Each structure stands twice: as structure tokens, then as C-alpha cells.
Amino acid sequence: MMISPESYYEEHLKGKSEKQIMTAIRGLKQEMGRLKNIMEGSHYGSETIIMPRESTRLLVTRMYLERAKQALADVGGTYTPSKAEQEAKLLDSSIPAISKVIFSIGGFLEGYKTHTIIVDEEHIHFGVERSLMMNSSTLPSGLDYPCGKEEFLDGIRALYIGEWRINYMNHDIIDGTQWELTIEFSDGHKPFKTGGSNAYPYNFDNLQELLGIEPDDEDEKVEK
């Protein structure tokens, strides 16, 4: 698999017409959707591993898409983003204005744990609260977060949360694990809310890592 966007351009886009480049763009977007669907499947990770992994292919395809949009502009074409793409771009532009991130995960039987991240002008602070079923305890809300503010915001950007669905549901499991994510902003952008039950976005593990949740923590363990 080619990695360089310029190599992709030379082989697939150079000398192409506006119509041909638009066809390539549609194909790249479809491939991104296909890869996400694979990674969000309930059995993902249990099958034979194919290299490069879907996460790598998705990253590279995203790079190709941006190069294809540039190639379209170079031949005088105009790319019109979909409504979903416009909303994702608007959310991305408001990432510097994030004021609070609330992430809750758990289940009816084992209880829930809620991580709250407060972002001020210079720092980020966090607290963790367990539900009564988990012997309720709260960490001091003034603790410094393990990484700096800009590193945290860059981590949010890398998740492309604006592309996430509002709900992720696996109706084949009755109880299991439920989760909710809310992001609040200080610039007037409406809060972003998403969540699910026994189903997760393709890069959900990256979100947990960013929030300091250890994958081996039994309280937070997600079975896909």
C-alpha cells in the first residue's frame, strides 16, 4: 500500500479531468466508510489480522482524500462538502474552545465511572466519580491532567469525533457496557453528545487512552 499522498497523486490523479477526480474522491470516501464499518463490527479483532491494519489504511485513505481535494481545486473544480462534513468541520474549528469533557462508562450490574475533564485558559483538570454500585468515591477535581492542554486538544482532533454517530447500539446484548460522551464549548457551539450500548466508534480505544483509562482496568474494560 502506498503511503505518500504525492505518489497516489502521480499514479491516480495526475492529468485527470475534474469529473475523474470527483469519481476518485467518492471512491475514497466510500472506502473510509467501509473501513470504519469493519472496525466497528462486533467481531473486529477476532478474525485473522490483515496487514496493513484497517486503522492504518483509514489514516492513509484520509490523506489521499485531502490530496484529491487539492487536485480538484488545481484543475478549477470545487468540492462541496456534505452536511455531515460541514458539521464535523464546524466542531473541529471549536476544539480550541472546549471547556468540559464528560465521559461515563459501565453497566447496570457493575456500576458506572464518570471521568470529567475541565479545560481552562491554561490548564486541564480532571476528576473521576464512581456510582454507588462501585463504592462511590471521587478524586479531587483539581488534579492536573497527565498531559498539557494543547496535547489534549490535539488528541481530541485526532479522534475526528465530528464524524462519530450519535448512537452506537448492539441489540444482540441486553446488558453489557453502556457509555456516554459529552463535550461542552465556551464559544457558543452546542454541546456534542454521543453514546452507545455494547457498540463503539472505530477509534474508541484511542478516546479511552486519551482520558487516561488503562485498557486492562477491569472497571473500564470494553469487550467488542
Side-chain angles (χ1 to χ4, degrees):
M1 183 179 186
M2 293 182 299
I3 298 298
S4 169
E6 289 305 316
S7 296
Y8 171 78
Y9 169 79
E10 290 290 333
E11 183 171 341
H12 297 281
L13 302 176
K14 188 175 182 179
K16 301 295 185 180
S17 66
E18 177 180 341
K19 182 177 180 179
Q20 290 172 318
I21 295 175
M22 274 302 308
T23 297
I25 288 175
R26 286 192 291 269
L28 291 168
K29 291 172 63 175
Q30 290 173 358
E31 176 64 5
M32 288 177 62
R34 187 186 73 84
L35 291 169
K36 290 178 183 179
N37 287 336
I38 291 175
M39 296 169 70
E40 291 172 356
S42 59
H43 299 292
Y44 181 70
S46 61
E47 306 91 344
T48 302
I49 297 177
I50 299 177
M51 301 300 288
R53 296 297 300 269
E54 284 80 5
S55 57
T56 300
R57 291 154 60 189
L58 178 60
L59 173 63
V60 173
T61 304
R62 193 183 295 277
M63 294 166 60
Y64 292 169
L65 177 60
E66 292 307 310
R67 185 62 183 90
K69 291 178 183 178
Q70 180 183 332
L72 180 65
D74 290 343
V75 297
T78 301
Y79 178 75
T80 303
S82 66
K83 181 179 179 180
E85 289 175 308
Q86 292 178 38
E87 292 177 350
K89 185 175 182 179
L90 183 61
L91 187 147
D92 187 66
S93 67
S94 288
I95 286 178
I98 288 177
S99 59
K100 182 185 291 186
V101 177
I102 305 171
F103 176 73
S104 177
I105 188 168
F108 177 76
L109 296 178
E110 73 273 19
Y112 296 85
K113 184 183 287 186
T114 299
H115 299 248
T116 301
I117 315 297
I118 305 295
V119 184
D120 61 28
E121 293 183 359
E122 298 181 358
H123 305 94
I124 54 180
H125 313 276
F126 76 102
V128 181
E129 182 178 359
R130 298 171 181 265
S131 68
L132 292 176
M133 293 183 182
M134 302 175 77
N135 298 320
S136 181
S137 64
T138 304
L139 292 178
S141 59
L143 292 176
D144 288 333
Y145 199 70
C147 66
K149 177 181 176 179
E150 291 307 317
E151 184 179 351
F152 176 76
L153 296 180
D154 285 343
I156 293 290
R157 288 189 184 90
L159 292 171
Y160 296 97
I161 284 179
E163 298 177 2
W164 287 15
R165 301 196 301 270
I166 300 302
N167 290 295
Y168 291 83
M169 302 295 294
N170 182 346
H171 297 287
D172 294 330
I173 303 177
I174 298 177
D175 293 320
T177 301
Q178 289 75 51
W179 62 275
E180 292 183 355
L181 173 68
T182 300
I183 302 177
E184 299 178 3
F185 305 86
S186 61
D187 65 350
H189 191 290
K190 67 179 181 179
F192 174 82
K193 298 182 179 181
T194 183
S197 178
N198 305 298
Y200 316 91
Y202 67 94
N203 53 1
F204 190 74
D205 289 345
N206 299 103
L207 168 67
Q208 293 193 99
E209 181 180 357
L210 179 64
L211 298 181
I213 300 173
E214 296 293 336
D216 292 332
D217 185 339
E218 291 301 319
D219 291 336
E220 310 293 338
K221 189 174 182 180
V222 174
E223 297 290 348
K224 292 189 66 174

